[in-house]
Amino acid sequence: MNHVAPARTDVRSPASLVVGLLAAAVLTIIGTLGHPILTSSATSVGHALRGDQHSALGVAGGDVPDGVTVFDARYPAVAKLDPALLGALRRAATDAADDGVEFVVNSGWRSPAYQEELLDEAVAKYGSRAEAARWVATPATSAHVSGDAVDIGHSDATAWLSRYGAEYGLCRIYGNEPWHFELRPDAVSHGCPRMYADPTHDPRMQS
Ligand SMILES: [Zn+2]
């Protein structure tokens, strides 16, 4: 074969191809990563997984009708929260009301059966128990089942709590769950502890 010095365009074409393939690969990666980032904007795990559907277990199992507030003790999801957590939420909600902000409870206490239902749905959605664990705890590890966690809406309420919640001991725990709050009494004097990126980094989930 004769060797012919490549013209300038012959040199550049493979390079352009490589650049094009790299760009396509980057777009693919962004598309893949974008999914959970978009999902994290949903108002609660339960709502993210099931839209407007509610648990077949009903309010006795911890399901919450739309629009229930932290003052509405008719529902076990609110009434079975740890009394100290509920008290802090009500004090904060009373002050937030002065700013025109209302705390809606999207999820609070959950029965073990309801938690298992959420976990099963997460496994179906995310394809594996390991990936589902990034979003939904087991009945044994969930702070919702023990009454120590609440998922608050709407976004004005979570924004208010992110800013002022520490004054009441109310802290965000997970970077990927801006709606999920738990009581950390030391936060009143020391501020909230550093957040975990997601529940898989929480030592309580390692059981
Ligand atoms: Zn939660």
Side-chain angles (χ1 to χ4, degrees):
M1 295 291 254
N2 289 332
H3 178 261
V4 177
R8 199 173 172 82
T9 51
D10 291 329
V11 174
R12 292 180 62 180
S13 289
S16 300
L17 181 62
V18 168
V19 169
L21 288 172
L22 281 173
V26 167
L27 286 173
T28 302
I29 291 166
I30 289 171
T32 306
L33 293 175
H35 175 66
I37 290 167
L38 288 174
T39 305
S40 72
S41 68
T43 53
S44 83
V45 169
H47 286 216
L49 288 170
R50 58 178 74 212
D52 287 335
Q53 278 188 311
H54 289 288
S55 171
L57 298 162
V59 295
D63 198 7
V64 191
D66 293 336
V68 168
T69 76
V70 295
F71 296 103
D72 204 338
R74 283 176 298 172
Y75 299 98
V78 176
K80 290 190 174 184
L81 288 172
D82 169 65
L85 169 61
L86 186 55
L89 282 166
R90 287 175 171 174
R91 285 194 300 277
T94 299
D95 291 345
D98 291 340
D99 297 331
V101 174
E102 183 180 60
F103 291 5
V104 169
V105 176
N106 285 325
S107 195
W109 169 84
R110 297 174 192 149
S111 68
Y114 184 13
Q115 189 67 33
E116 187 60 47
E117 191 178 272
L118 291 175
L119 183 59
D120 290 347
E121 288 178 12
V123 171
K125 179 183 174 76
Y126 295 112
S128 72
R129 209 164 177 93
E131 184 60 21
R134 290 172 59 83
W135 299 92
V136 182
T138 69
T141 60
S142 173
H144 284 281
V145 172
S146 61
D148 294 313
V150 65
D151 295 344
I152 292 292
H154 302 281
S155 58
D156 60 340
T158 55
W160 194 98
L161 275 173
S162 288
R163 188 167 177 186
Y164 303 114
E167 297 173 24
Y168 307 86
L170 297 168
C171 294
R172 281 183 60 183
I173 305 299
Y174 306 120
N176 70 339
E177 296 188 16
W179 53 80
H180 177 106
F181 288 85
E182 298 183 23
L183 189 67
R184 295 290 182 273
D186 288 349
V188 176
S189 48
H190 296 98
C192 288
R194 228 157 69 98
M195 280 184 264
Y196 301 111
D198 64 57
T200 60
H201 295 86
D202 185 343
R204 295 177 298 176
M205 301 298 163
Q206 317 302 320
S207 66

